[in-house]
């Protein structure tokens, strides 16, 4: 009897788990089918209380093996290189600032989480946000992230990701009522050129 | 005859008067004198005034650090803080705890930020300073503004468009960023990404107040037990000097109880069985107390203080001091019917004087050393021994009345043993056997000046300490740089001059980390203001042009700079901004100093070299200082003891040469063999040879001399002398030899030396009996 009931329970669990996970795994599969994504971005940041939004644009390369390369090109140049070990920030041509897990663990952890947003790494996101899929029936997906862990829940109200084959829009709403909208375009999944490979070294 | 009697009475009265005066002086001195516990002050004084000042400051800082306690708690659920809050509140309600810290309330955080904002133009961090100088601050500000995760809001950009407060927070000392806030509590993450909550507490009194310490530890252990019962799935770790010193003192107490009881019972039984009276015990105690009293007062008068070291070590004179009393009492017991108390004294008087003089010479040699600890010990011993001598000489003849006479005590046994020594073959067998024992044991001697071997640390505490160090990455290495000045401003300026060197040392990996207070000198603050005045207007102009800042900001900015107050050390101390740093800062009666804890020091010599160019910077390396002190004291004392031994042997040799050349040689054997077998027993015991064991040798030498001299006193009957030696040896063994049972390695090794020395001094003492001159 005991064996049977355990079995039943396991099957039930499997079933429920499955029915919930199916959308997420689908999404995860969809989003992670390309190991390399290159794209352009335009970012609009509206600080409430300021007249005009701050608009910037640039290019990004996501290599799931090596990390994220993010370069803002207008109105000034700023490059972020991030992987599991360190985050490097270069403003214009100034000396790079480097953050590692060892030197500034909290800042690193925070920044690393943001990488998870760009690469839509469901596993990491799941630990830190309540995930909710809006419009589950359409091919376009919308994923709503409500932060549950510190310090994210002190900073962000919610984060909304949307897209289809690629992550196309990120909308960040923070607690101070400031909003940032990042739109991606010109997706390219071709392998990295030698020059681009060097960006990750 | 009457005249003579009167003179003795006068002598006794005068001595009584002197002792009385010493008691009064002690009562006068005691409240104002201090017990010095600083090990550093035992070192030879080179640059004396500065050394003392350093030692005072280091002592004060050490005392503060000794008061610190820390707990790390890992709750079952990261969001369930009930166990932490419970423990925190319990700690707060303990009357022996001064402050408890752990929760950083939102109010506190606001206050902290307010301070950082109010003084933002003075507290510019190193990176920002660099960016301002290189005209890079504007692009950094823009990068923060454009950063989608930057979180710069309109209030921030309106009030602090240079983002100085933000920059300061981002660039806080790295070591602090190991600690974080979780639900407003200080916390740290371990290697397995588990969060541990941290609670700090400070004791009201330093950890070396024994009674208080023990009660506090019991209470804290009870709290932890209760905690574990309530939350069996939580983990709690503890660290604090308090626990170590309590462990040490409770072990010492254990020792004192067992050893003290055994020794008291043993000595009482011995005295009762031999003398059939308790009086000898009281008399011996009297002469020892007078000796200790006068020794103590002499030290207090000459040094205005007594070192703990002296106090402990001066007990070693007790063993020598009691010899005189024992010898006289045995003489009275055996011959009380044939001679008067005065006659007995006359028989022994010369031997006592020679014994006293030889011991005094040994101690006077100590007086010449540059070591304050040994000097104090010498003064103590010289005056203490003289006082015991006078107590026996002046008072005993009046006090030994009605002591039971027992002429035949142990006579057969003693005669038998003494007769054995008349046989050539026995003598040589003993000597060869002794030599064999000495050589075998001495070959196993292990020299070790490592002071941590003196104390046995409980494994459980050590483990917790290591775990805490791993989680918080705050090692308890006890390696510091001490920067001092005549006033706070000088200290801070010296600190700021030193910091670039430390950064370089970090880059070169000579150290992994250092921590320093977040208070800039007034001079630095002025420099920062000037820097802001020079560089900020351009940046603000640009921000206005971009429409990010209102044009009216300029007036506001100028007004702020005009009225900017500087941060004085007191303002800082009273502000929340100094939270976590106050321990490292000292200002009191024209002393000022700050401490820089160093982590991961690879090469201590490199550090010494680095700071040698800076004035007012000292490298404090407690453990190494102690080891060095032990090492140099041991070497110095070894030389002195060797000289003393040679001197004593020459004296014996000359004194006994008139009998025969062979006897002159043999008379040195008891002294030499007692030292040798003290060594040997120490070697067999596996205890290290260090300063502590060496100090026991002083006592061994002193006793060796006494026994040899007593045995060679031609006025006294040999068996009486031998009984006296026997009594003295047994009672010393019962008081000091039992120390071998101690849990504390230092004390046990002391005991082994005494035991080895005593046994040999006693066994071989018949060799000092002069041959009968025909």
């Amino acid at each position: 009897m005991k064996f049977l009931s355990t079995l039943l329970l396991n099957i039930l669990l499997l079933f429920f788990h499955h029915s919930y996970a199916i959308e997420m795994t689908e999404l995860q599969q969809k989003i992670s089918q390309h190991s390399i994504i290159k794209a352009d971005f335009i970012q609009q940041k509206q600080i409430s209380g300021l007249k005009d939004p701050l608009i910037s644009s640039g290019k990004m390369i996501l290599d799931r093996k090596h990390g994220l390369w993010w370069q803002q090109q207008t109105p000034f140049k700023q490059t972020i290189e991030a992987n599991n070990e360190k985050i490097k920030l270069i403003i214009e041509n100034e000396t790079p600032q480097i953050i590692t897990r060892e030197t500034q663990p909290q800042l690193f952890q925070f920044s690393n989480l943001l990488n998870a947003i760009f690469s839509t790494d469901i596993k990491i996101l799941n630990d830190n946000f309540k995930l909710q899929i809006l419009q589950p029936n359409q091919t376009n997906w919308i994923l709503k992230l409500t932060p549950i862990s510190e310090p994210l829940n002190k900073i962000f109200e919610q984060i909304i990701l949307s897209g289809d084959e690629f992550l196309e829009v990120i909308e960040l709403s923070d607690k101070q009522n400031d909003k940032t909208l990042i739109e991606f375009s010109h997706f390219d999944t071709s392998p990295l050129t030698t020059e681009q490979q060097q960006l990750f070294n | 005859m009457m005249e003579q009697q009167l003179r003795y009475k006068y002598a006794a009265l005068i001595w009584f008067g002197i002792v009385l005066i010493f008691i009064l002086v002690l009562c006068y001195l005691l409240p104002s004198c201090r017990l010095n516990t600083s090990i550093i002050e035992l070192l030879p004084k080179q640059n004396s005034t500065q050394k003392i000042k350093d030692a005072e400051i280091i002592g004060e800082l050490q005392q503060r650090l000794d008061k610190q306690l820390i707990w790390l708690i890992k709750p079952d659920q990261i969001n369930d803080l009930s166990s932490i809050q419970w423990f925190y509140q319990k700690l707060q309600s303990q009357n022996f705890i001064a402050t408890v810290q752990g929760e950083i309330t939102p109010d506190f955080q606001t206050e902290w930020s307010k301070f950082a904002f109010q003084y933002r133009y003075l507290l510019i961090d190193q990176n920002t300073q660099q960016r301002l100088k290189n005209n890079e601050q504007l692009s950094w500000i823009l990068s923060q503004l454009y950063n989608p995760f930057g979180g710069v809001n309109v209030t921030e950009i309106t009030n602090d468009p240079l983002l100085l407060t933000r920059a300061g927070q981002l660039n806080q000392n790295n070591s602090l960023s190991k600690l974080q806030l979780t639900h407003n509590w200080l916390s740290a993450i371990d290697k397995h990404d588990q969060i541990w909550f941290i609670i700090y507490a400070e004791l009201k009194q330093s950890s070396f107040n024994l009674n208080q310490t023990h009660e506090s530890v019991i209470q804290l252990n009870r709290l932890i037990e209760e905690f574990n019962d309530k939350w069996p799935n939580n983990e709690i770790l503890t660290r604090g000097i308090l626990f170590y010193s309590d462990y040490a003192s409770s072990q010492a107490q254990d020792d004192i109880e067992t050893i003290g009881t055994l020794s008291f019972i043993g000595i009482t039984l011995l005295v009762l069985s031999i003398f059939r009276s308790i009086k000898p015990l009281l008399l011996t105690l009297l002469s020892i107390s007078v000796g200790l009293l006068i020794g103590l007062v002499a030290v207090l008068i000459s040094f205005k203080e007594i070192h703990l070291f002296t106090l402990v070590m001066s007990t070693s004179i007790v063993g020598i001091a009691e010899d005189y009393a024992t010898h006289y009492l045995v003489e009275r017991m055996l011959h009380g019917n044939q001679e008067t108390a005065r006659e007995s004294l006359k028989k022994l008087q010369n031997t006592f004087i020679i014994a006293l003089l030889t011991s005094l010479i040994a101690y006077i040699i100590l007086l010449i050393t540059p070591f304050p600890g040994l000097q104090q010990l010498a003064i103590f011993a010289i005056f203490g021994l003289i006082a015991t001598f006078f107590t026996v000489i002046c008072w005993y003849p009046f006090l030994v009345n009605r002591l039971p006479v027992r002429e035949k005590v142990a006579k057969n046994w003693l005669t038998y043993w003494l007769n054995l020594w008349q046989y050539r073959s026995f003598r040589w067998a003993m000597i060869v056997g002794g030599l064999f024992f000495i050589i075998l044991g001495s070959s196993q001697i292990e020299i070790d000046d490592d002071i941590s071997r003196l104390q046995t640390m409980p494994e459980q505490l050590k483990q917790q300490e290591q775990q805490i160090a791993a989680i918080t990455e705050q090692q308890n290495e006890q390696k510091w740089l001490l920067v001092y000045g005549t006033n706070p401003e000088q200290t801070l300026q010296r600190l700021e001059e030193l910091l670039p060197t430390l950064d370089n040392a970090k880059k070169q990996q000579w150290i992994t980390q250092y921590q320093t207070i977040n208070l800039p000198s007034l001079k630095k603050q002025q420099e920062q203001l000037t820097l802001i005045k020079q560089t900020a207007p351009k940046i603000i102009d640009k921000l206005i042009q971009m429409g990010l800042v209102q044009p009216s900001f300029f007036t506001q900015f100028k007004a702020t700079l005009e009225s900017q107050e500087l941060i004085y050390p007191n303002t800082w101390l009273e502000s929340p901004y100094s939270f976590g740093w106050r321990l490292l800062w000292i200002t009191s009666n024209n002393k000022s100093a700050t401490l820089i804890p160093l982590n991961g020091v690879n090469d201590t010599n490199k550090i010494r070299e680095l700071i040698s160019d800076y004035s007012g910077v000292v490298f404090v390396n407690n453990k190494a200082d102690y080891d060095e002190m032990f090492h140099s004291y041991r070497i110095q004392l070894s030389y002195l003891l060797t000289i003393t031994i040679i001197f004593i042997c020459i004296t014996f040799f000359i004194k006994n040469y008139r009998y025969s050349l062979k006897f002159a040689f043999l008379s040195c054997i008891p002294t030499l063999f007692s030292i040798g077998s003290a060594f040997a027993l120490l070697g067999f015991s596996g205890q290290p040879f260090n300063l502590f064991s060496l100090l026991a040798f002083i006592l061994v030498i002193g006793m060796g001399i006494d026994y040899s001299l007593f045995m060679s006193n031609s006025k006294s009957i040999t068996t009486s002398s031998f009984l006296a030696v026997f009594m003295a040896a047994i009672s010393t063994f019962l008081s000091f030899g039992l120390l071998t049972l101690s849990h504390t390695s230092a004390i046990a090794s002391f005991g082994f030396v005494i035991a080895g020395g005593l046994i040999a001094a006693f066994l071989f003492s018949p060799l000092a009996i002069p041959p009968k001159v025909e």
Side-chain angles (χ1 to χ4, degrees), chain B residues 149-160:
Chain B
F149 315 115
V152 182
N153 62 18
V154 77
T155 329
E156 190 176 350
I157 193 115
T158 316
N159 291 320
D160 184 15

Side-chain angles (χ1 to χ4, degrees), chain B residues 648-656 667-668 671 705 708-709:
Chain B
I648 290 164
C649 287
I650 292 174
T651 319
F652 280 171
F653 193 86
I654 294 171
K655 182 173 167 278
N656 294 323
S667 67
C668 299
T671 310
I705 299 171
S708 296
L709 288 173

Side-chain angles (χ1 to χ4, degrees), chain B residues 320 324 349-360 385 702 705-706 709-710:
Chain B
I320 306 173
Y324 309 142
Q349 203 161 306
N350 284 342
T351 312
F352 285 172
I353 291 174
I354 299 173
L356 178 67
L357 287 180
T358 5
S359 303
L360 288 190
L385 285 179
I705 299 171
D706 285 359
L709 288 173
F710 291 173

Side-chain angles (χ1 to χ4, degrees), chain B residues 110 190 209 231 261 287 320-321 352 412 440 458 479 482 493 667 677 761 773:
Chain B
T110 317
D190 68 11
N209 179 336
W231 293 278
T261 319
S287 61
I320 306 173
F352 285 172
N412 289 338
L440 201 65
K479 293 195 180 84
L482 181 76
Q493 286 185 19
S667 67
S677 58
V773 192

Side-chain angles (χ1 to χ4, degrees), chain B residues 492-638:
Chain B
L492 291 170
Q493 286 185 19
R494 284 174 167 177
L495 174 68
E496 282 154 10
E497 279 165 32
L498 176 70
L499 291 182
T501 306
L502 286 184
D503 287 328
N504 186 40
K506 224 168 95 176
K507 220 178 269 168
Q508 306 283 344
Q509 295 187 330
W510 293 328
I511 55 173
T512 51
Q513 192 59 270
Y514 71 88
Q515 280 141 45
T516 179
I517 54 165
N518 58 358
L519 169 67
S521 69
L522 295 175
K523 184 178 152 221
K524 175 93 180 264
Q525 294 178 36
Q526 297 282 10
E527 284 169 9
Q528 306 282 44
L529 267 185
T530 318
L531 179 67
I532 284 292
K533 278 179 190 154
Q534 283 166 355
T535 54
K538 238 196 286 177
I539 303 172
I540 296 170
D541 262 343
K542 256 280 176 1
L543 292 172
I544 293 174
Q545 275 173 33
M546 296 169 81
L548 294 166
V549 173
Q550 298 297 320
S552 62
F553 179 76
F554 243 123
T555 13
Q556 192 194 328
F557 171 70
K558 276 186 182 149
T560 317
L561 284 190
E562 289 291 306
S563 63
Q564 181 71 56
E565 272 176 46
L566 296 183
I567 312 168
Y568 291 91
N570 277 342
T571 337
W572 174 78
L573 263 184
E574 284 156 19
S575 79
Y577 198 70
S578 59
F579 175 79
W581 297 116
R582 283 166 214 153
L583 263 184
L584 304 181
W585 177 250
I586 265 203
T587 32
S588 61
N589 23 318
N590 61 39
K591 266 184 306 188
S592 161
T594 180
L595 202 62
I596 309 174
L598 300 179
N599 280 9
V601 178
N602 277 328
D603 183 355
T604 47
N605 286 330
K606 196 88 218 171
I607 304 294
R608 281 183 216 280
E609 202 180 298
L610 279 183
I611 60 163
S612 61
D613 296 340
Y614 295 90
S615 49
V617 184
V618 202
F619 180 49
V620 186
N621 185 358
N622 265 354
K623 167 96 173 38
D625 286 346
Y626 285 48
D627 287 353
E628 188 192 309
M629 195 273 299
F630 265 61
H631 177 76
S632 48
Y633 263 59
R634 178 177 59 74
I635 301 278
Q636 194 85 6
L637 203 56
S638 303

